[in-house]
Amino acid sequence: MTVLDLIFQLVIVILTELARYSFCWSITCVGNFINHFAGVITKAIPLLAALLATFVADRHIAYTSKNRDHDQAFEVTQITHRYIAIAKDLRDKAKYLKEMLTNGGHPTQAFLIIIESIEKRYESLFEKDAYKYLDGKTVDKINSMSANVFCLVTLGSSLQESPAAKSSLLIQPLPTPKNIDLLLEDVDSLLKDLVELKEKTMRDL
């Protein structure tokens, strides 16, 4: 039974009693009305108590729901902030690797370190708890990066076996692998989705 139902019942009881005495306003009638109405109010106490309990329960549910929604929005904001930071760092590392390959002049170990850091940074995107707030399109973008990251790891293995690595020479300028540009495109697209999610969540707070 809703609060409106309880109020309606109470109003019906009061109106019914008023109707019984609507044509009799002598002192006796008024006295009888007061006495009878007092009895009605006494009988209505359980109804009033139920009305109060229902009101309090409704308020508690609304308050709890509001707090739960606020806590969830706050959690989503924290997660998107972290993901944005990870994605930006991943993008910066990929850009730096591209610059290193284009310009050359770095030892093999430097390439291996930056490629390993790209791989680890990408793996940090796979947080189980975060995925419950990301839509399917965004998750697909994260998954699609794996092929390009794997190709960069393979590049690192090739550089490690190169003559320059064995003779401690600096790596000469190399053509930029297509996978770096594809990875950068994926990261930029992911960042756009994350920023949109963060802004939407911030508006809901």
Side-chain angles (χ1 to χ4, degrees), residues 29-198:
C29 287
V30 171
N32 290 338
F33 171 75
I34 293 174
N35 292 332
H36 192 74
F37 190 71
V40 171
I41 293 298
T42 301
K43 294 178 181 178
I45 288 177
L47 186 61
L48 293 172
L51 177 62
L52 179 61
T54 303
F55 175 77
V56 172
D58 288 345
R59 294 288 295 175
H60 177 71
I61 291 172
Y63 178 78
T64 303
S65 178
K66 182 178 180 180
N67 279 353
R68 183 171 60 249
D69 291 343
H70 183 275
D71 291 343
Q72 179 174 313
F74 184 73
E75 184 180 3
V76 172
T77 302
Q78 285 186 314
I79 290 173
T80 51
H81 274 298
R82 172 171 166 73
Y83 263 51
I84 288 171
I86 293 173
K88 285 183 176 180
D89 188 52
L90 179 60
R91 180 185 61 187
D92 292 343
K93 284 178 166 58
K95 285 183 176 179
Y96 184 62
L97 175 61
K98 180 178 179 178
E99 181 182 329
M100 290 172 65
L101 290 170
T102 301
N103 298 332
H106 296 276
T108 304
Q109 189 62 27
F111 286 96
L112 299 179
I113 290 174
I114 191 67
I115 290 174
E116 182 181 5
S117 67
I118 288 174
E119 182 183 20
K120 289 183 176 179
R121 184 53 84 190
Y122 170 68
E123 290 174 350
S124 64
L125 288 173
F126 289 90
E127 291 183 356
K128 182 178 64 175
D129 291 341
Y131 273 49
K132 61 185 178 182
Y133 299 120
L134 301 179
D135 59 28
K137 181 184 67 173
T138 304
V139 173
D140 288 342
K141 288 179 181 179
I142 295 175
N143 290 332
S144 68
M145 296 180 194
S146 61
N148 295 318
V149 173
F150 177 75
C151 289
L152 295 183
V153 173
T154 303
L155 172 64
S157 299
S158 299
L159 291 174
Q160 195 170 16
E161 297 300 324
S162 66
K166 296 178 180 179
S167 58
S168 299
L169 297 175
L170 300 180
I171 299 292
Q172 297 301 309
L174 296 171
T176 301
K178 181 180 179 181
N179 301 96
I180 294 182
D181 291 327
L182 292 175
L183 178 60
L184 287 171
E185 290 177 7
D186 288 341
V187 174
D188 285 336
S189 181
L190 174 62
L191 276 169
K192 181 180 177 181
D193 288 352
L194 292 173
V195 170
E196 288 178 355
L197 176 59
K198 184 193 74 171

